[in-house]
Amino acid sequence: MATFRQIPYDGYVEYPVQEMKKRAAEFYADVKRRRTIRDFSDRPVAREIIENCLRAAATAPNGANFQPWHFAVVESPSVKREIRRSAEKEEKEFYGGRAPEEWLRALEPLGTDESKPFLETAPYLIAIFSESYVLREDGSKRTNYYAKESVGIASGILITALQCCGLATLTHTPSPMNFLNQLLKRPPNEKPFLLLVAGYPAENVRIPALTKKPLEQISSFI
Ligand code: IYR
């Protein structure tokens, strides 16, 4: 196989150390304002904003540059309605006993339940699919290495990009979510990874008073 042509890396920007410290502190201050919300406004959002956030997500580092993702962006009210109907059906079973007791107890403090009106209210649902393999013309499968890791990184960038331009998100994982393949006409080599809800928060939205583990607990410098 041919190797890629090597070109100068002219995108790198070096900052003076003081500037780096300032940027790190500012980025943290900004990103820590992100909170998952469960109540969205129906205020429309310009498609161009979503498109650039998707372009940003697709810059993610990924296995062998195979870029194993697909973002199905749902604007259509009727498709949103169908997604809500299918998700609530699965979630009803999940909360009604399919989920292990321990899992349901872990969710209790968050107060989540099977009702998912935000799937219809929010202007955008972005179904993120992970492409675990690609079918070659001869019918054989080419593996996409580290597909889940790659799509996880891309999803993180997408969430941060959306926050950066002033939108709120909800990472929703109806379980199971195979119905998304059928509703969004995605092929069987793509597995639903995350259903990202994006839009403006509803007025007076409330969030749980969560805290994050301190740095000492989540890191070690060796
Ligand atoms: N998929 C369910 C359950 C759920 C699971 C976890 I882990 C959460 O952090 C939140 C919810 C739902 O979306 O309600």
Side-chain angles (χ1 to χ4, degrees), residues 2 10 12 20 22 45 79 81 90-91 98 105 171 187 207 218:
D10 56 12
Y12 175 75
M20 290 168 91
K22 186 164 161 269
V45 169
V79 178
R81 196 173 318 121
E90 296 295 357
E91 296 287 279
R98 194 174 54 210
R105 260 202 311 277
T171 45
I207 52 171
I218 59 146

Side-chain angles (χ1 to χ4, degrees), residues 28-43:
Y28 169 50
D30 210 18
V31 95
K32 81 173 181 191
R33 290 185 300 98
R34 186 203 58 78
R35 289 297 307 266
T36 287
I37 56 150
R38 294 192 150 75
D39 203 3
F40 285 81
S41 154
D42 62 359
R43 232 168 114 191

Side-chain angles (χ1 to χ4, degrees), residues 63 69 103 117 196:
W69 39 63
W103 191 348
L196 193 64

Side-chain angles (χ1 to χ4, degrees), residues 50-72:
I50 304 296
E51 287 174 343
N52 269 329
C53 291
L54 293 175
R55 289 187 179 101
T59 66
N62 65 93
N65 197 37
F66 285 165
Q67 306 168 61
W69 39 63
H70 182 85
F71 304 92

Side-chain angles (χ1 to χ4, degrees), residues 36 38 87 91 94-95 99 103-104 106-107 110-116 118 170-175:
T36 287
R38 294 192 150 75
E91 296 287 279
F94 175 90
Y95 284 98
W103 191 348
L104 292 177
L107 291 178
L110 292 172
T112 56
D113 58 26
E114 68 258 27
S115 161
K116 307 294 179 194
F118 52 77
L170 164 59
T171 45
H172 180 42
T173 48
S175 133

